[in-house]
Amino acid sequence: MSGPDLDGLGRADSWEGVHAVVAGLGGSGYAAADALMQVGARLTILDDGDGDRLRERAEILEVLGADVRTGPGSTAALPDDATLLVPFPGLPPATPIVAQALARDVAVWSEPELAWRLRGPGAAPWVGVTGTNGKTTTVEMLASILRAAGLRAPAVGNIGVPVTEAVMDPTGYDVLAVELSSFQLHFADRIACEASAVLNVAADHLDWHGGSAGYAADKGRIYEHVERACVYNVSDPETERLVREADVAEGARAIGFTLGVPSVGMVGVVDDVLADRAFVPERATSAAELATLGDLAGPSGEPPAPHVVANALAAAALARAHGVAPVAVRDGLRSHQPGAHRIQQLDEVDGVTYVDDSKATNPHAATGSLQAYPSVVWVAGGLAKGTTFDDLVERTRDRLRAVVLIGADRAVIRDALRRHAPEVPVVEVDAGKDVLMDRVVDAAAGFARAGDTVLLAPGCASLDQFTSYAERGDSFAAAVARHAASRG
């Protein structure tokens, strides 16, 4: 369709001729809408939901001149004269409003893509992170390192703070640590990070992307146009393949991270030291010490799980690509505080440790969590999102004392256990949300022995039974606290 040349528009231009449609008035949608109003676009907001927070945002935008339509069916049709669609990240290409936009040659941009195009002169560079698992932790570590170097460096993007909000902030920043999901990358083609990383690629969101090839390709978009460094996982060949296929700026380097001894051009581990053989002049013959495994120890002094070390190495490589000194890497990793529901030790009752890793929402993440403990009563289940659990069970069956299953797709896990670990006891808990986790903890405690870990690492999304992985984790933690109180 004909319309304004969106590719020629930037922050300093008038967007008066643009009819922008924002589908979804969550945090990123609200930030996108606010930015579009600031540059003068005509704005329509569509959201099928309702609620106090949504109505409050709708009222503000209506006062500013936006056309806001909420309630069931609001996103069913794209306005006839729309020239740009910014969809909620979870809306797949097959969703009617997105499909209509694509069929009519209406531009479809993710919120981070809009943010990139609205960057002003001298804008802060982006250091980007994606991957099936570990994105949030790595971005938090990266931001902590950058701040330890004295930089104004917020963690933004899929982590919760919309990128557009940071880009439009009048105070400005030195550098942005940006978490990008495969959903956000699918509708992005201009983003050019200073450095970026794909931490890993495993089966997830296959229903959204139409298969593993589409999912991997969207992850790989974060390497496009990179200026300095593409950071990849040496133990995951798919991430290196994505680097090799990316169209990057001249001079950009491929930097691997490994849990083993690093080769030239990599960061890795030597004894208990995180070592840099990528960003030091004498890398052919020596390495720079960045931190120690002790700097990553948990609050109780427990050693870091392997995937935590991998995340730290990726964050260190990205920070070094930005020019941060080794001492800032050490100080940033020391001061980093892991978020809730990420291998969070809750309590020890009768010699049994209870751990909340509700953030493990796919089999790859759950595998990493299970491999951190020698003997586990595993709490799993929820929405599997088209993934399978055969590989997980084969790799972890020797660690499984028993399994407690919950959720809509628990049969997928149960069947994998029957095929590959029939000797492992399995109990299924089907109950309302108010009592579910109490029954789960009681069942798990019945199997556990002193020295075991009862681990909530569901391998699935939570939305069949809870509003979020956080609510699921909070419910589990509360049930563990009640169990501990009952034991005196």
Side-chain angles (χ1 to χ4, degrees), residues 203-292:
D204 199 12
H205 302 299
L206 303 187
D207 47 356
W208 199 100
H209 294 275
S212 57
Y215 175 66
D218 283 335
K219 289 293 188 189
R221 285 175 175 265
I222 201 169
Y223 289 136
E224 293 296 318
H225 320 303
V226 157
E227 297 172 351
R228 291 189 183 178
C230 296
V231 176
Y232 68 93
N233 186 342
V234 174
S235 68
D236 188 336
E238 182 72 354
T239 65
E240 184 175 6
R241 181 187 69 81
L242 293 173
V243 172
R244 294 184 183 280
E245 294 183 357
D247 182 11
V248 302
E250 185 176 354
R253 300 170 57 198
I255 307 295
F257 66 90
T258 174
L259 294 177
V261 176
S263 300
V264 175
M266 298 180 183
V267 296
V269 180
V270 180
D271 296 327
D272 67 342
V273 171
L274 276 61
D276 171 10
R277 292 193 68 190
F279 299 99
V280 291
E282 63 278 14
R283 54 185 173 270
T285 56
S286 62
E289 178 176 333
L290 300 176
T292 68

Side-chain angles (χ1 to χ4, degrees), residues 285-473:
T285 56
S286 62
E289 178 176 333
L290 300 176
T292 68
L293 295 181
D295 294 321
L296 303 175
S300 303
E302 66 272 15
H307 64 278
V308 174
V309 180
N311 293 340
L313 289 165
L318 291 167
R320 293 285 283 154
H322 184 67
V324 165
V327 66
V329 175
R330 182 202 64 191
D331 292 347
L333 292 175
R334 281 181 179 174
S335 62
H336 169 252
Q337 297 296 319
H341 314 299
R342 297 174 179 87
I343 314 189
Q344 183 178 6
Q345 184 170 324
L346 300 173
D347 208 338
E348 183 178 316
V349 184
D350 299 330
V352 175
T353 301
Y354 291 79
V355 175
D356 169 15
D357 196 19
S358 185
K359 185 69 165 60
T361 57
N362 55 62
H364 186 268
T367 300
S369 191
L370 286 162
Q371 288 177 332
Y373 305 98
S375 183
V376 178
V377 179
W378 179 34
V379 181
L383 294 175
K385 301 174 288 183
T387 60
T388 62
F389 286 78
D390 295 83
D391 181 64
L392 177 152
V393 174
E394 286 184 314
R395 294 174 63 182
T396 64
R397 60 189 174 193
D398 293 341
R399 301 171 183 267
L400 299 178
R401 171 81 69 185
V403 180
V404 180
L405 293 177
I406 63 174
D409 292 337
R410 60 184 180 272
V412 176
I413 307 174
R414 180 192 65 215
D415 293 346
L417 288 161
R418 287 176 177 173
R419 285 191 292 271
H420 304 291
E423 72 285 358
V424 175
V426 177
V427 62
E428 299 182 41
V429 177
D430 187 6
K433 184 166 68 173
D434 292 344
V435 298
L436 175 66
M437 284 303 181
D438 287 298
R439 296 184 182 179
V440 164
V441 170
D442 286 345
F447 287 115
R449 303 292 181 266
D452 286 352
T453 299
V454 173
L455 174 66
L456 173 67
C460 294
S462 60
L463 298 181
D464 56 329
Q465 295 175 299
F466 298 92
T467 59
S468 65
Y469 75 81
E471 186 190 31
R472 178 173 60 189

Side-chain angles (χ1 to χ4, degrees), residues 147-160:
R147 289 193 293 268
L151 301 170
R152 295 168 298 165
V156 301
N158 195 53
I159 198 169

